[in-house]
Amino acid sequence: KIDLPALGELVSPMDSLAQELTEAIDDIDQLDSTWLHPSAKTRVDELADELRSTNETVEVANELVAIAPAMLGANAPQRYLIVFTTPSEARGLGGFAGNWAELVVDRGVLSLENVGRGDDITAALTTGIRLPADVRALYTGFELERTFQNITVVPDFPTVAVLAQAQFEQAFGRRLDGVINIDPAGMGGVVSLSGPVEVNGTTMGPAEVTDFVLRGQYEVFADDNEARLVALEQLTFDVFDQLVNAQLPAPATITDVFRPLIEGDHVRIQSFDNIEAVALSSVGLNGAFPINAGQDMVAVVTQNLGENKIDVFLQRDVAYDVEIDPDSGVISSQLVITLTNNAPADGLPQAIIGNNDQGLPLGTNRTRVQIYSSLAVESASLDGTPVDMISEGELGWLRYRRDLWLDPGQTEELIVRLTGALPVADDYVLHVDHQPLTSPDSVALAVTLRGGKINPANIGLDPQGRAKVSLTSDYDVVVPLGQ
């Protein structure tokens, strides 16, 4: 049980703290540091940065404290569907929706009422849900009207939450107030707070639970699928029981655990109350796909088409080179996507390296590559051979896709050249979006200004206009122009 009156008592002091931090930041910004010794100026700048960072945390906490009582059933019982996804079978949101749980919160008391398999919802659907026209057109073949496991093909969690709500409510007739998404890394984070759990006679900590959900379950129960599903259901109950009965650590520790999980899209929450939804969006908890506000973006999304759990072996390397004409705003770029299938051709269960009667050799990774951008494709090639990309629009962006088949050990290189004009009079802004898969992408970025040099004060690149990152969350680059 969560003490709602105690939570309510935080509202006033949190407001006061936020106001004091804002005033302190304003005071520092107004300081005249012209005659300060460099070492003193450095200390002032460090203080300002620390206050801004603290203020961001306080603003997030303020948003959550304001909506928490209602979300925790202060006014009426709240029912949430928890969707457990696994990126070992990639979907646009991250992973396949294999399991679910039903969480009810009434006046701060949390109860896990049911757990089930994606198949349970699929089987209980009668007529199938009505899809938005754009979703139906973009995802033909995934049968989103009546297949719960595939709802996560859309890389936007608010959209996925609406699909989950429609399917669940039609299947079981119980109204939902929101949807929560947790992947294996998120489960590991919960276990780090609740303490180790026992699975099939083995005690597992956070890393072991993450690995078991990703891959181990298919190896341990290779010949007994029913036992595997029962073990997953029991794991869900055990983790929840330990979490609600454990002596949780200090709030700062909980924040340290969940901040990277939220930033990495391993935990998402969407409410169907408009006020709560806005607050969750403002603190980055609802996993919404980026809005096209005139910036450049590169988002590489892969969808598993083999109906297997082979994506634990998929390695993705991305390189994005951009040349900008600051005068005209014309951008020319090259996107290189290198996919390597490290799966073996034998020695693992069919669930991992099989292809469910699709007639493909064991270990084949059949995947769909989707690229989101503001720019138009000029040309594309696969391993040096010109290819076509299917062009569509989704979530306010241009989307280009191509289906690939990778044999065990095979590497394929997809090169896409793009061009277009963006409003870059002041800054060039690049957003690199993150798909939470089993292994983070290796991303190399390079930005060149035609007739000029990159300003060393830019964010996200070195003075040569380059960066190489292991993409564990979204990554932003801001290059000042005309300076």
Side-chain angles (χ1 to χ4, degrees):
K1 180 178 180 180
I2 296 173
D3 190 335
L4 294 184
L7 188 61
E9 290 173 2
L10 289 174
V11 173
S12 178
M14 290 296 291
D15 282 341
S16 298
L17 178 57
Q19 182 176 345
E20 290 175 14
L21 283 169
T22 300
E23 292 173 355
I25 292 169
D26 289 342
D27 289 344
I28 290 178
D29 287 343
Q30 294 172 18
L31 287 176
D32 182 1
S33 59
T34 305
W35 300 103
L36 278 180
H37 188 278
S39 61
K41 186 177 186 305
T42 297
R43 294 296 298 274
V44 171
D45 291 342
E46 289 174 349
L47 175 60
D49 290 342
E50 184 175 351
L51 287 173
R52 287 191 178 90
S53 177
T54 303
N55 197 35
E56 289 176 3
T57 303
V58 170
E59 287 176 352
V60 169
N62 238 353
E63 294 272 11
L64 296 180
V65 165
I67 63 173
M71 292 191 69
L72 293 171
N75 305 318
Q78 302 292 292
R79 187 180 305 273
Y80 301 97
L81 178 67
I82 304 175
V83 180
F84 297 100
T85 54
T86 174
S88 56
E89 183 173 346
R91 293 289 186 271
L93 195 69
F96 173 86
N99 295 75
W100 56 272
E102 190 176 356
L103 176 68
V104 175
V105 191
D106 185 7
R107 287 168 291 184
V109 178
L110 286 76
S111 304
L112 197 65
E113 293 203 344
N114 296 290
V115 298
R117 313 158 191 176
D119 283 339
D120 298 337
I121 295 178
T122 297
L125 289 170
T126 52
T127 59
I129 65 170
R130 183 175 181 179
L131 296 176
D134 57 338
V135 173
R136 183 176 64 252
L138 287 168
Y139 294 101
T140 301
F142 286 97
E143 299 180 346
L144 298 184
E145 297 90 344
R146 55 176 63 255
T147 306
F148 179 80
Q149 297 91 324
N150 284 341
I151 59 173
T152 49
V153 292
V154 184
D156 175 68
F157 186 57
T159 301
V160 171
V162 170
L163 297 178
Q165 176 193 31
Q167 288 201 9
F168 181 89
E169 292 183 355
Q170 184 187 116
F172 301 130
R174 297 190 290 276
R175 182 185 61 83
L176 290 177
D177 297 287
V179 178
I180 300 169
N181 171 225
I182 301 179
D183 72 1
M187 281 287 286
V190 174
V191 171
S192 71
L193 298 177
S194 67
V197 292
E198 188 173 297
V199 180
N200 198 40
T202 301
T203 300
M204 296 185 180
E208 291 79 14
V209 166
T210 298
D211 184 70
F212 176 78
V213 176
L214 272 175
R215 174 178 168 179
Q217 57 171 304
Y218 304 104
E219 297 178 330
V220 173
F221 299 102
D223 301 319
D224 194 340
N225 190 57
E226 187 62 30
R228 179 182 68 82
L229 296 172
V230 170
L232 283 176
E233 292 180 4
Q234 190 59 50
L235 172 64
T236 304
F237 275 120
D238 290 348
V239 170
F240 178 80
D241 286 344
Q242 290 204 189
L243 181 66
V244 297
N245 290 298
Q247 181 65 45
L248 294 179
T253 302
I254 297 175
T255 300
D256 289 343
V257 169
F258 274 97
R259 183 191 297 274
L261 296 176
I262 292 169
E263 291 177 347
D265 291 326
H266 302 292
V267 177
R268 304 175 176 100
I269 305 174
Q270 176 67 2
S271 169
F272 299 128
D273 176 272
N274 289 336
I275 294 175
E276 294 169 4
V278 169
L280 291 170
S281 174
S282 69
V283 300
L285 259 171
N286 74 335
F289 201 70
I291 295 173
N292 189 344
Q295 76 275 30
D296 193 8
M297 184 184 78
V298 58
V300 177
V301 168
T302 49
Q303 309 266 17
N304 181 298
L305 301 178
E307 301 179 17
N308 53 22
K309 304 300 182 287
I310 203 170
D311 290 318
V312 292
F313 298 106
L314 183 63
Q315 176 185 333
R316 307 192 335 175
D317 298 288
V318 177
Y320 190 59
D321 290 5
V322 185
E323 183 184 71
I324 308 166
D325 184 338
D327 296 326
S328 66
V330 171
I331 295 176
S332 300
S333 66
Q334 176 176 278
L335 175 63
V336 181
I337 304 168
T338 306
L339 301 181
T340 302
N341 176 18
N342 292 312
D346 54 37
L348 289 175
Q350 286 275 343
I352 298 177
I353 60 172
N355 279 273
N356 292 287
D357 301 322
Q358 294 186 27
L360 301 173
L362 291 177
T364 301
N365 189 316
R366 184 177 174 224
T367 191
R368 172 168 295 170
V369 179
Q370 296 173 187
I371 300 165
Y372 295 80
S373 175
S374 292
L375 309 178
V377 168
E378 279 191 326
S379 64
S381 64
L382 183 64
D383 293 334
T385 301
V387 295
D388 293 326
M389 302 289 292
I390 296 175
S391 177
E392 299 155 320
E394 183 180 13
L395 299 168
W397 300 92
L398 296 172
R399 189 185 88 170
Y400 308 102
R401 65 178 169 91
R402 183 157 187 96
D403 295 350
L404 304 178
W405 288 259
L406 287 85
D407 295 331
Q410 183 181 6
T411 295
E412 289 197 334
E413 183 180 75
L414 179 64
I415 299 178
V416 182
R417 298 184 186 278
L418 306 108
T419 188
L422 295 175
V424 294
D426 298 318
D427 294 332
Y428 165 73
V429 180
L430 169 64
H431 177 81
V432 185
D433 204 60
H434 165 251
Q435 183 184 14
L437 300 177
T438 58
S439 300
D441 291 348
S442 173
V443 177
L445 303 172
V447 178
T448 304
L449 295 185
R450 188 177 300 172
K453 292 184 178 181
I454 293 293
N455 189 320
N458 74 76
I459 302 171
L461 300 173
D462 65 20
Q464 285 71 49
R466 298 183 179 275
K468 189 164 186 179
V469 296
S470 179
L471 200 67
T472 56
S473 61
D474 295 349
Y475 191 81
D476 290 307
V477 170
V478 180
V479 179
L481 303 177
Q483 298 184 14

